[in-house]
Amino acid sequence: QVQLVESGGGLVQAGGSLRLSCAASGRIRSIVAMGWYRQAPGKERELVARITNNGDTNAADSVKGRFTISRDNAKNTLYLQMNSLKPEDTAVYYCNARLTSDIIWYEYDIWGQGTQVTVST
C-alpha cells in the first residue's frame, strides 16, 4: 500500500507565502513523477506544477515566477514553495505521484487527500 500525505496549507494574505509538502510512503518501487494539482470551487482540477525523477519540471503559466516545485528523492517528498500568493490561488491542492510499487509493477497514479489554501485580500 502506498499513500501520499500532504501538509502546509492554510490561510494567508495576498502577497504572502506558503510551502506545501507531500510525503510518499509505503511499498514504493520507483516514482516516475510527482506533481501538484489544484481545484477551486466550481472549477476543474488543474495542473499547478510537475517534476519528473530526472528533475525536469513544468508549471502552469499562472504560477510561473511565483511557485517553485522541488523534490527530495531520498525522502520521497515533494514540495511546492508558493510566493506572491493571489486570491485566485485559493483552492484545494492535491499531490499526485506516478509510480510503481512492490505489488504493482506497472505505472499508476495515486493522489493525496488534498490541503486547503486560502488567500485573502
Side-chain angles (χ1 to χ4, degrees):
Q1 186 79 350
V2 179
Q3 64 176 353
L4 302 177
V5 177
E6 298 135 335
S7 60
L11 173 64
V12 64
Q13 287 188 331
S17 298
L18 283 174
R19 189 191 193 209
L20 305 183
S21 299
C22 171
S25 62
R27 300 176 65 176
I28 299 168
R29 187 163 180 259
S30 66
I31 297 179
V32 177
M34 298 184 77
W36 291 98
Y37 291 73
R38 66 186 181 187
Q39 187 167 19
K43 295 187 177 181
E44 294 186 352
R45 190 174 297 189
E46 63 175 0
L47 173 69
V48 177
R50 189 171 182 264
I51 184 168
T52 70
N53 60 348
N54 293 325
D56 297 327
T57 63
N58 65 294
D61 289 341
S62 60
V63 306
K64 286 180 180 177
R66 300 188 298 123
F67 291 10
T68 302
I69 190 170
S70 62
R71 179 176 158 185
D72 185 334
N73 290 336
K75 296 181 179 179
N76 285 335
T77 300
L78 180 71
Y79 304 98
L80 184 68
Q81 179 65 44
M82 305 186 292
N83 299 327
S84 302
L85 282 160
K86 304 175 181 179
E88 50 263 44
D89 294 319
T90 295
V92 177
Y93 284 69
Y94 296 92
C95 178
N96 165 270
R98 170 153 290 191
L99 51 81
T100 63
S101 70
D102 288 348
I103 300 173
I104 302 174
W105 283 28
Y106 56 84
E107 295 177 7
Y108 67 103
D109 288 311
I110 62 170
W111 294 87
Q113 79 284 359
T115 185
Q116 177 70 46
V117 171
T118 303
V119 184
S120 63
T121 55

